[in-house]
Amino acid sequence: MNRIFVTLAVVCIGSAFPAAGATAWKDGPSVAYVFGGDVESAGFGFGYQAAHEFSRNFSVEFMGQWHEDESDALASAFPTVGDTPTVGLDVISLALTGRVSMEPAPSLLAYAGAGVGYYILEADNGEIRESLSGTGFGFADVQGDKEFGAHIVLGCELLLTKRWEIFAEYRYSFLDSGYTASYSADRDSPVGTQRDSFDYDHGALRFGLNYRL
């Protein structure tokens, strides 16, 4: 499934490049509310983006973003453990997006686009290990993969002054990833590992501020 979306994203990004005559570089901070899809604990994330406008109709944006989540799916990776706490999850997204725009009103730009991203899923095993302390259980650790995914976007930008603009965007990301779980029943048992798939599709409402160079 990801291959279809990645192909679509590459085509959309590539469509921006034929438009010659650069008009602007811009960059700034953003905040996102991440929810939906495979998200188990909706919450806020923070990021920074830099974009280049080839014209008012074509642009490319690079974004880095971080958000937190909690995962029962990762906690259930330990078959010999009963009820375990959720596993904390740090999600780092590095995304490239090609955007096609139109100007419905002066200073207002509406756009749609698609792109590819590199996602780093870092699990926090602290709560699981704390809950197992004193039980004789040997070792427990689970880590998500680093994987490429794809996304689609819809948004709008409002030019406040010649240099400053704000934007609002809905982004949905498609990520077919996996995890590796390592565990041992007690301190005298060897550590075993298992691999499994871990889908992490998610939506985000992004709001941000850009300074135009």
Side-chain angles (χ1 to χ4, degrees):
M1 180 64 70
N2 262 2
R3 292 181 181 177
I4 297 174
F5 287 109
V6 169
T7 301
L8 176 63
V10 170
V11 171
C12 188
I13 291 173
S15 69
F17 288 94
T23 60
W25 284 93
K26 54 189 179 181
D27 69 309
S30 58
V31 62
Y33 181 71
V34 184
F35 65 101
D38 297 304
V39 173
E40 296 185 30
S41 180
F44 287 94
F46 304 92
Y48 201 90
Q49 66 282 333
H52 179 61
E53 290 182 348
F54 293 85
S55 73
R56 288 297 281 170
N57 300 115
F58 300 99
S59 61
V60 172
E61 180 200 68
F62 178 77
M63 178 202 73
Q65 181 175 284
W66 164 87
H67 74 270
E68 288 183 314
D69 196 1
E70 295 181 347
S71 177
D72 290 324
L74 291 182
S76 66
F78 305 104
T80 57
V81 183
D83 294 333
T84 60
T86 58
V87 171
L89 193 63
D90 289 306
V91 182
I92 299 172
S93 310
L94 303 173
L96 180 66
T97 308
R99 309 186 307 183
V100 180
S101 310
M102 61 177 295
E103 197 167 7
S107 300
L108 179 65
L109 202 68
Y111 63 86
V116 294
Y118 185 66
Y119 298 87
I120 302 170
L121 306 178
E122 292 285 349
D124 180 1
N125 295 273
E127 288 190 30
I128 284 183
R129 291 172 181 167
E130 183 178 349
S131 70
L132 294 173
S133 61
T135 65
F137 200 82
F139 180 75
D141 181 86
V142 62
Q143 286 299 334
D145 290 349
K146 300 176 178 66
E147 187 62 79
F148 286 96
H151 58 271
I152 54 176
V153 301
L154 287 173
C156 61
E157 300 173 346
L158 179 63
L159 193 62
L160 301 177
T161 69
K162 182 180 178 180
R163 297 294 186 186
W164 293 99
E165 69 179 26
I166 56 176
F167 71 87
E169 175 189 281
Y170 176 72
R171 174 180 299 241
Y172 195 85
S173 300
F174 305 89
L175 179 60
D176 299 331
S177 189
Y179 67 81
T180 300
S182 304
Y183 56 89
S184 62
D186 55 62
R187 291 178 176 82
D188 297 323
S189 299
V191 176
T193 62
Q194 72 174 37
R195 288 275 307 155
D196 207 344
S197 61
F198 179 63
D199 294 340
Y200 195 71
D201 296 352
H202 54 282
L205 286 174
R206 293 178 62 221
F207 304 93
L209 176 72
N210 282 325
Y211 178 78
R212 302 172 65 86
L213 299 178

